[in-house]
Coordinates of all heavy atoms in Angstrom, one line a residue:
I1 N 97.0 108.6 80.1 CA 98.0 107.5 79.7 C 97.8 107.2 78.3 O 96.7 107.3 77.7 CB 97.7 106.3 80.7 CG1 98.8 105.2 80.4 CG2 96.3 105.7 80.5 CD1 98.8 104.1 81.4
L2 N 98.8 106.8 77.6 CA 98.8 106.3 76.2 C 99.3 104.9 76.2 O 100.4 104.7 76.7 CB 99.6 107.3 75.3 CG 99.8 106.8 73.8 CD1 98.4 106.8 73.2 CD2 100.8 107.7 73.2
V3 N 98.5 104.0 75.6 CA 98.8 102.6 75.6 C 98.9 102.1 74.2 O 97.9 102.4 73.4 CB 97.8 101.7 76.4 CG1 98.2 100.3 76.4 CG2 97.7 102.2 77.9
C4 N 99.8 101.3 73.8 CA 99.9 100.7 72.5 C 99.9 99.2 72.7 O 100.7 98.7 73.5 CB 101.1 101.1 71.7 SG 101.1 100.5 70.0
G5 N 98.9 98.5 72.1 CA 98.9 97.1 72.3 C 98.1 96.3 71.2 O 97.4 96.9 70.4
K6 N 98.3 95.0 71.2 CA 97.6 94.1 70.3 C 96.3 93.6 71.0 O 96.3 93.2 72.1 CB 98.4 92.9 70.0 CG 97.8 92.0 68.9 CD 98.8 91.0 68.5 CE 98.1 90.1 67.3 NZ 99.0 89.2 66.8
V7 N 95.2 93.8 70.3 CA 93.9 93.4 70.8 C 93.7 91.9 70.9 O 93.9 91.2 69.9 CB 92.7 94.0 70.0 CG1 91.4 93.6 70.5 CG2 92.8 95.5 69.9
K8 N 93.6 91.4 72.1 CA 93.4 90.0 72.3 C 91.9 89.6 72.3 O 91.5 88.5 71.8 CB 94.0 89.5 73.6 CG 95.5 89.7 73.7 CD 96.1 88.9 72.5 CE 97.5 88.6 72.7 NZ 98.1 87.8 71.6
S9 N 91.0 90.4 72.9 CA 89.6 90.1 73.0 C 88.8 91.4 73.3 O 89.4 92.4 73.8 CB 89.3 89.1 74.0 OG 89.6 89.5 75.3
I10 N 87.6 91.3 72.9 CA 86.6 92.4 73.2 C 85.3 91.7 73.7 O 84.8 90.9 73.1 CB 86.3 93.3 71.9 CG1 87.5 93.9 71.3 CG2 85.2 94.4 72.3 CD1 87.4 94.4 69.9
E11 N 84.9 92.1 75.0 CA 83.8 91.5 75.6 C 82.9 92.6 76.3 O 83.4 93.5 76.8 CB 84.3 90.5 76.7 CG 85.2 89.4 76.2 CD 85.7 88.6 77.3 OE1 85.7 89.1 78.5 OE2 86.2 87.5 77.0
P12 N 81.6 92.3 76.3 CA 80.7 93.2 77.2 C 81.1 93.0 78.6 O 81.5 91.9 79.1 CB 79.3 92.6 76.9 CG 79.4 91.5 75.9 CD 80.9 91.2 75.7
A13 N 81.0 94.1 79.4 CA 81.3 94.1 80.9 C 80.1 94.9 81.5 O 80.4 96.0 82.0 CB 82.6 94.7 81.2
G14 N 78.9 94.4 81.4 CA 77.8 95.2 81.9 C 77.3 96.1 80.8 O 77.2 95.7 79.6
K15 N 77.2 97.4 81.0 CA 76.8 98.4 80.0 C 78.0 99.0 79.3 O 77.8 99.9 78.5 CB 76.0 99.5 80.7 CG 74.7 99.0 81.3 CD 73.9 100.1 81.9 CE 72.6 99.5 82.5 NZ 71.8 100.6 83.1
V16 N 79.2 98.5 79.5 CA 80.4 98.9 78.8 C 81.1 97.7 78.2 O 80.6 96.6 78.3 CB 81.3 99.7 79.8 CG1 80.7 100.9 80.4 CG2 81.8 98.8 80.9
F17 N 82.2 98.0 77.6 CA 83.0 96.9 76.9 C 84.4 96.9 77.4 O 85.0 97.9 77.6 CB 82.9 97.1 75.4 CG 81.5 97.0 74.8 CD1 80.7 98.1 74.8 CD2 81.1 95.8 74.4 CE1 79.4 98.0 74.4 CE2 79.7 95.6 74.0 CZ 78.9 96.7 74.0
R18 N 84.9 95.7 77.6 CA 86.3 95.5 78.1 C 87.1 94.9 76.9 O 86.8 93.8 76.4 CB 86.2 94.5 79.3 CG 87.5 94.4 79.9 CD 87.5 93.6 81.2 NE 87.0 92.2 81.0 CZ 86.0 91.6 81.6 NH1 85.4 92.2 82.6 NH2 85.7 90.4 81.4
T19 N 88.2 95.6 76.6 CA 89.1 95.1 75.6 C 90.4 94.7 76.3 O 91.0 95.5 77.1 CB 89.4 96.2 74.6 OG1 88.2 96.6 73.9 CG2 90.4 95.7 73.5
T20 N 90.9 93.5 76.0 CA 92.1 93.0 76.6 C 93.2 93.3 75.5 O 93.1 92.9 74.4 CB 92.0 91.5 76.8 OG1 91.0 91.2 77.7 CG2 93.4 91.0 77.5
L21 N 94.2 94.0 76.0 CA 95.4 94.4 75.1 C 96.7 93.7 75.7 O 96.9 93.7 76.9 CB 95.6 95.8 75.1 CG 94.6 96.8 74.5 CD1 95.1 98.2 74.6 CD2 94.4 96.4 73.0
E22 N 97.5 93.2 74.8 CA 98.9 92.8 75.2 C 99.8 94.0 74.7 O 99.8 94.4 73.6 CB 99.3 91.6 74.4 CG 100.7 91.1 74.8 CD 101.1 89.8 74.1 OE1 100.4 88.8 74.4 OE2 102.0 89.8 73.3
V23 N 100.4 94.6 75.7 CA 101.2 95.8 75.5 C 102.4 95.5 74.6 O 103.1 94.5 74.8 CB 101.6 96.4 76.8 CG1 102.5 97.7 76.6 CG2 100.5 96.8 77.7
V24 N 102.5 96.3 73.5 CA 103.6 96.1 72.6 C 105.0 96.2 73.3 O 105.2 97.1 74.2 CB 103.6 97.2 71.5 CG1 104.8 97.2 70.6 CG2 102.3 97.0 70.6
G25 N 105.9 95.2 73.0 CA 107.2 95.2 73.6 C 107.3 94.5 74.9 O 108.3 94.4 75.5
T26 N 106.1 94.1 75.4 CA 106.1 93.3 76.7 C 105.1 92.2 76.6 O 104.5 92.0 75.6 CB 105.6 94.3 77.9 OG1 104.2 94.5 77.7 CG2 106.3 95.6 77.9
R27 N 105.0 91.4 77.6 CA 103.9 90.4 77.6 C 102.8 90.8 78.6 O 101.9 90.1 78.9 CB 104.5 89.1 78.1 CG 105.5 88.6 77.0 CD 105.7 87.1 77.2 NE 106.3 86.6 75.9 CZ 105.9 85.5 75.4 NH1 105.0 84.8 75.9 NH2 106.4 85.1 74.2
E28 N 102.9 92.1 79.1 CA 101.9 92.6 80.0 C 100.5 92.7 79.3 O 100.4 93.1 78.2 CB 102.3 93.9 80.5 CG 101.4 94.5 81.6 CD 101.9 95.9 82.1 OE1 103.0 96.3 81.7 OE2 101.2 96.4 82.9
V29 N 99.5 92.3 80.1 CA 98.1 92.4 79.6 C 97.4 93.4 80.4 O 97.5 93.4 81.6 CB 97.5 91.0 79.6 CG1 96.0 91.1 79.2 CG2 98.2 90.0 78.7
I30 N 96.7 94.3 79.7 CA 95.8 95.3 80.4 C 94.4 95.3 79.9 O 94.2 94.8 78.8 CB 96.4 96.7 80.3 CG1 96.4 97.2 78.9 CG2 97.8 96.8 80.9 CD1 96.7 98.7 78.8
E31 N 93.5 95.8 80.7 CA 92.1 95.9 80.3 C 91.8 97.4 80.0 O 92.1 98.2 80.8 CB 91.2 95.4 81.4 CG 91.5 94.0 81.9 CD 91.2 92.9 80.8 OE1 90.3 93.1 80.0 OE2 91.8 91.9 80.8
V32 N 91.2 97.6 78.9 CA 90.7 98.9 78.5 C 89.2 98.9 78.4 O 88.6 98.0 77.8 CB 91.2 99.3 77.1 CG1 90.7 100.7 76.7 CG2 92.8 99.4 77.1
V33 N 88.5 99.8 79.1 CA 87.0 99.8 79.2 C 86.6 101.0 78.3 O 87.2 102.1 78.4 CB 86.6 100.0 80.7 CG1 85.1 100.1 80.7 CG2 87.0 98.8 81.5
S34 N 85.5 100.8 77.5 CA 84.9 101.8 76.7 C 83.4 101.7 76.8 O 82.9 100.7 77.1 CB 85.4 101.7 75.3 OG 85.1 100.4 74.7
R35 N 82.8 102.8 76.5 CA 81.3 102.9 76.5 C 80.7 102.3 75.2 O 79.6 101.9 75.1 CB 80.8 104.3 76.6 CG 81.2 104.9 78.0 CD 80.4 106.1 78.3 NE 80.8 106.8 79.4 CZ 80.6 106.4 80.7 NH1 79.9 105.4 80.9 NH2 81.1 107.2 81.7
V36 N 81.5 102.3 74.1 CA 81.1 101.8 72.8 C 81.8 100.5 72.4 O 83.0 100.4 72.7 CB 81.4 102.9 71.7 CG1 81.0 102.4 70.4 CG2 80.7 104.2 72.1
D37 N 81.1 99.5 71.8 CA 81.7 98.3 71.4 C 82.6 98.6 70.1 O 82.1 99.0 69.1 CB 80.6 97.3 70.9 CG 81.2 96.0 70.5 OD1 82.4 95.9 70.3 OD2 80.4 95.1 70.3
P38 N 84.0 98.5 70.3 CA 84.8 98.9 69.2 C 84.7 98.0 68.0 O 84.9 98.5 66.9 CB 86.2 98.8 69.9 CG 86.1 98.2 71.2 CD 84.7 98.2 71.5
S39 N 84.4 96.7 68.2 CA 84.3 95.9 67.1 C 83.0 96.1 66.3 O 83.0 96.0 65.1 CB 84.3 94.4 67.5 OG 83.3 94.1 68.4
A40 N 81.9 96.5 66.9 CA 80.6 96.8 66.2 C 80.7 98.1 65.4 O 80.1 98.2 64.4 CB 79.5 96.9 67.2
S41 N 81.5 99.0 65.9 CA 81.7 100.3 65.2 C 82.9 100.4 64.3 O 83.2 101.4 63.7 CB 81.7 101.5 66.2 OG 82.8 101.2 67.1
N42 N 83.5 99.2 64.1 CA 84.7 99.0 63.2 C 85.8 99.9 63.6 O 86.7 100.3 62.8 CB 84.3 99.2 61.7 CG 83.6 98.0 61.2 OD1 83.9 96.9 61.5 ND2 82.7 98.3 60.3
V43 N 85.9 100.3 64.9 CA 87.0 101.1 65.4 C 88.3 100.2 65.4 O 89.3 100.6 64.9 CB 86.8 101.7 66.7 CG1 88.0 102.4 67.3 CG2 85.6 102.6 66.7
F44 N 88.1 99.0 65.9 CA 89.2 98.0 65.9 C 88.6 96.7 66.2 O 87.4 96.6 66.7 CB 90.4 98.3 66.8 CG 90.1 98.5 68.3 CD1 89.9 97.4 69.1 CD2 90.0 99.8 68.8 CE1 89.6 97.6 70.4 CE2 89.7 99.9 70.2 CZ 89.5 98.8 71.0
R45 N 89.3 95.6 65.9 CA 88.8 94.2 66.3 C 90.0 93.4 66.8 O 91.2 93.9 66.7 CB 88.2 93.6 65.0 CG 89.1 93.5 63.8 CD 88.4 93.0 62.6 NE 87.5 93.9 62.0 CZ 87.9 94.9 61.1 NH1 89.1 95.0 60.8 NH2 87.0 95.7 60.6
A46 N 89.7 92.2 67.2 CA 90.7 91.3 67.7 C 91.9 91.1 66.7 O 91.6 91.1 65.5 CB 90.1 89.9 68.1
S47 N 93.1 91.1 67.1 CA 94.4 91.0 66.4 C 94.9 92.3 65.9 O 96.0 92.4 65.4 CB 94.3 90.0 65.3 OG 93.7 90.4 64.1
D48 N 94.1 93.4 65.9 CA 94.6 94.7 65.5 C 95.5 95.3 66.6 O 95.4 94.9 67.8 CB 93.4 95.8 65.4 CG 92.6 95.6 64.2 OD1 93.0 94.9 63.2 OD2 91.5 96.2 64.1
T49 N 96.4 96.1 66.2 CA 97.3 96.9 67.1 C 96.7 98.3 67.2 O 96.4 98.9 66.1 CB 98.8 96.9 66.6 OG1 99.2 95.6 66.5 CG2 99.6 97.7 67.6
V50 N 96.5 98.8 68.4 CA 95.9 100.1 68.6 C 96.7 100.9 69.6 O 97.3 100.4 70.5 CB 94.4 99.9 69.1 CG1 93.6 99.2 68.1 CG2 94.3 99.2 70.4
L51 N 96.5 102.2 69.5 CA 96.9 103.2 70.5 C 95.6 103.7 71.1 O 94.6 103.9 70.4 CB 97.5 104.4 69.8 CG 98.9 104.3 69.3 CD1 99.3 105.6 68.5 CD2 99.9 104.1 70.4
V52 N 95.6 103.7 72.5 CA 94.5 104.2 73.2 C 94.9 105.2 74.2 O 95.8 105.0 75.0 CB 93.8 103.0 73.9 CG1 92.6 103.5 74.7 CG2 93.4 101.9 73.0
F53 N 94.2 106.4 74.2 CA 94.4 107.4 75.2 C 93.3 107.1 76.2 O 92.2 106.8 75.9 CB 94.1 108.8 74.6 CG 95.2 109.3 73.7 CD1 95.0 109.1 72.3 CD2 96.4 109.8 74.1 CE1 95.9 109.6 71.4 CE2 97.3 110.2 73.2 CZ 97.1 110.1 71.9
G54 N 93.7 107.3 77.5 CA 92.7 107.0 78.5 C 93.3 107.4 79.9 O 94.3 108.1 80.0
V55 N 92.5 107.0 80.9 CA 92.9 107.3 82.3 C 92.8 106.0 83.1 O 91.9 105.1 82.9 CB 91.9 108.4 82.9 CG1 90.5 107.9 82.9 CG2 92.4 108.8 84.2
V56 N 93.7 105.8 84.0 CA 93.8 104.6 84.9 C 92.6 104.8 85.9 O 92.6 105.8 86.6 CB 95.1 104.4 85.5 CG1 95.1 103.2 86.5 CG2 96.2 104.2 84.5
V57 N 91.8 103.8 86.1 CA 90.7 103.7 87.1 C 91.1 102.6 88.0 O 91.1 101.4 87.6 CB 89.4 103.5 86.4 CG1 88.3 103.5 87.4 CG2 89.1 104.6 85.4
V58 N 91.3 102.9 89.3 CA 91.8 102.0 90.3 C 90.6 101.1 90.7 O 90.8 99.8 90.9 CB 92.4 102.7 91.5 CG1 92.9 101.6 92.5 CG2 93.6 103.5 91.0
N59 N 89.4 101.6 91.0 CA 88.3 100.8 91.4 C 87.2 101.0 90.4 O 86.2 101.7 90.6 CB 87.8 101.3 92.8 CG 88.9 101.1 93.9 OD1 89.4 100.0 94.0 ND2 89.3 102.2 94.5
P60 N 87.2 100.2 89.3 CA 86.2 100.4 88.3 C 84.8 100.1 88.6 O 83.9 100.8 88.2 CB 86.7 99.5 87.1 CG 87.6 98.5 87.8 CD 88.2 99.2 88.9
R61 N 84.5 99.2 89.6 CA 83.2 98.9 89.9 C 82.5 100.1 90.6 O 81.3 100.3 90.3 CB 83.1 97.7 90.9 CG 83.3 96.4 90.2 CD 82.9 95.2 91.1 NE 83.5 94.0 90.6 CZ 84.0 93.0 91.4 NH1 83.8 93.2 92.7 NH2 84.5 92.0 90.9
S62 N 83.2 100.8 91.3 CA 82.6 102.0 92.0 C 82.7 103.3 91.2 O 82.0 104.2 91.4 CB 83.1 102.1 93.4 OG 84.5 102.4 93.4
S63 N 83.7 103.3 90.3 CA 84.0 104.5 89.6 C 83.4 104.6 88.2 O 83.3 105.7 87.6 CB 85.5 104.7 89.5 OG 86.1 104.8 90.8
L64 N 83.1 103.5 87.6 CA 82.6 103.4 86.2 C 81.1 102.9 86.2 O 80.9 101.7 86.3 CB 83.4 102.6 85.3 CG 84.9 103.0 85.1 CD1 85.6 102.0 84.3 CD2 84.9 104.4 84.4
P65 N 80.1 103.8 86.1 CA 78.8 103.3 86.1 C 78.5 102.3 85.0 O 78.9 102.5 83.8 CB 78.0 104.6 85.8 CG 78.9 105.7 86.3 CD 80.3 105.2 85.9
G66 N 77.8 101.2 85.3 CA 77.5 100.2 84.4 C 78.6 99.1 84.2 O 78.3 98.1 83.5
Y67 N 79.7 99.3 84.8 CA 80.8 98.3 84.7 C 80.5 97.1 85.6 O 80.2 97.2 86.7 CB 82.2 98.9 85.1 CG 83.3 97.9 85.1 CD1 83.9 97.6 83.9 CD2 83.8 97.4 86.3 CE1 85.0 96.7 83.9 CE2 84.8 96.5 86.3 CZ 85.4 96.1 85.1 OH 86.5 95.2 85.1
Q68 N 80.6 95.9 84.9 CA 80.5 94.7 85.7 C 81.7 93.8 85.3 O 81.8 93.3 84.1 CB 79.2 94.0 85.3 CG 78.0 94.7 85.8 CD 76.7 94.0 85.4 OE1 76.7 93.0 84.7 NE2 75.6 94.6 85.8
G69 N 82.6 93.6 86.1 CA 83.8 92.8 85.9 C 84.7 92.9 87.1 O 84.4 93.4 88.1
P70 N 85.9 92.4 86.9 CA 86.9 92.4 88.1 C 87.1 93.8 88.6 O 87.1 94.7 87.7 CB 88.1 91.8 87.5 CG 87.7 91.1 86.2 CD 86.5 91.8 85.7
N71 N 87.4 94.0 89.8 CA 87.6 95.3 90.4 C 89.1 95.6 90.4 O 89.6 96.4 91.2 CB 87.0 95.4 91.8 CG 86.8 96.8 92.2 OD1 86.4 97.7 91.3 ND2 86.9 97.2 93.4
A72 N 89.8 95.1 89.5 CA 91.3 95.4 89.3 C 91.4 96.7 88.5 O 90.5 97.0 87.7 CB 92.0 94.2 88.6
P73 N 92.5 97.4 88.6 CA 92.6 98.6 87.8 C 92.5 98.4 86.3 O 92.9 97.3 85.7 CB 94.1 99.1 88.1 CG 94.3 98.5 89.5 CD 93.6 97.2 89.4
V74 N 91.9 99.3 85.6 CA 91.6 99.3 84.1 C 92.0 100.7 83.6 O 92.1 101.6 84.3 CB 90.2 98.9 83.8 CG1 89.8 97.6 84.3 CG2 89.2 100.0 84.2
V75 N 92.1 100.7 82.3 CA 92.2 102.0 81.6 C 90.9 102.3 81.0 O 90.3 101.5 80.3 CB 93.3 101.9 80.5 CG1 93.3 103.2 79.7 CG2 94.7 101.7 81.1
F76 N 90.3 103.5 81.3 CA 89.1 103.9 80.7 C 89.5 104.7 79.4 O 90.1 105.7 79.5 CB 88.3 104.8 81.7 CG 86.9 105.2 81.1 CD1 86.0 104.2 80.8 CD2 86.7 106.5 80.7 CE1 84.7 104.6 80.3 CE2 85.5 106.9 80.2 CZ 84.5 105.9 79.9
G77 N 89.3 104.0 78.3 CA 89.8 104.6 77.0 C 88.7 105.4 76.3 O 87.6 105.1 76.3
G78 N 89.2 106.5 75.7 CA 88.3 107.4 75.1 C 88.7 107.8 73.7 O 87.9 108.4 72.9
F79 N 89.9 107.4 73.2 CA 90.3 107.8 71.9 C 91.2 106.7 71.3 O 92.4 106.9 71.3 CB 91.0 109.1 71.9 CG 91.2 109.7 70.5 CD1 90.1 110.2 69.7 CD2 92.5 109.7 69.9 CE1 90.4 110.7 68.4 CE2 92.7 110.2 68.7 CZ 91.6 110.7 67.9
P80 N 90.6 105.6 70.7 CA 91.5 104.6 70.1 C 91.8 104.9 68.7 O 91.0 105.5 67.9 CB 90.5 103.4 70.1 CG 89.2 103.9 70.0 CD 89.2 105.3 70.7
V81 N 93.1 104.6 68.3 CA 93.5 104.7 66.9 C 94.1 103.4 66.5 O 95.1 102.9 67.1 CB 94.6 105.8 66.8 CG1 95.1 106.0 65.4 CG2 94.0 107.2 67.3
R82 N 93.6 102.8 65.4 CA 94.2 101.6 64.9 C 95.4 101.8 64.1 O 95.5 102.8 63.3 CB 93.1 100.9 63.9 CG 93.6 99.6 63.4 CD 92.6 98.9 62.6 NE 91.5 99.7 62.2 CZ 90.4 99.3 61.6 NH1 90.2 98.0 61.4 NH2 89.4 100.1 61.3
Q83 N 96.4 101.0 64.4 CA 97.7 101.1 63.7 C 97.7 100.2 62.5 O 97.4 99.1 62.5 CB 98.9 100.7 64.6 CG 98.9 101.6 65.8 CD 99.2 103.0 65.5 OE1 100.3 103.3 65.1 NE2 98.2 103.9 65.7
E84 N 98.1 100.7 61.3 CA 98.1 99.9 60.1 C 99.5 99.5 59.8 O 100.4 100.0 60.1 CB 97.5 100.8 59.0 CG 96.2 101.4 59.4 CD 95.0 100.9 58.6 OE1 95.2 100.2 57.7 OE2 93.9 101.1 59.1

């Protein structure tokens, strides 16, 4: 899946990080999970618009080792690109 959205927040979720995105062109909010803290590595930060390639994970607690958060579907992101 490819998602484009505005970063609302970045928070730890156990051993991974959860980024809340507002999808561009909608008011839909989705969660993107990553192994690396995107704000610490300057990949992106709150208020940036990003493209993220990833895969939808329906049951993240059982499917993503180290994830601690709601068991609602998330996108496990692996390749973020900040839009300038």
Side-chain angles (χ1 to χ4, degrees):
I1 186 171
L2 175 64
V3 179
C4 183
K6 184 172 183 175
V7 178
K8 295 304 202 178
S9 65
I10 303 167
E11 303 173 340
K15 295 181 180 180
V16 296
F17 295 87
R18 186 174 63 228
T19 300
T20 303
L21 292 181
E22 183 177 295
V23 179
V24 171
T26 72
R27 294 200 161 222
E28 184 178 358
V29 175
I30 64 166
E31 305 290 331
V32 177
V33 175
S34 59
R35 295 195 190 285
V36 179
D37 181 352
S39 59
S41 57
N42 285 324
V43 174
F44 59 81
R45 60 184 72 84
S47 80
D48 285 347
T49 299
V50 296
L51 284 171
V52 179
F53 291 97
V55 61
V56 175
V57 179
V58 178
N59 296 306
R61 283 192 201 149
S62 61
S63 300
L64 297 176
Y67 174 80
Q68 295 175 358
N71 203 32
V74 299
V75 173
F76 183 67
F79 188 74
V81 177
R82 183 177 12 192
Q83 300 298 290
E84 310 249 347

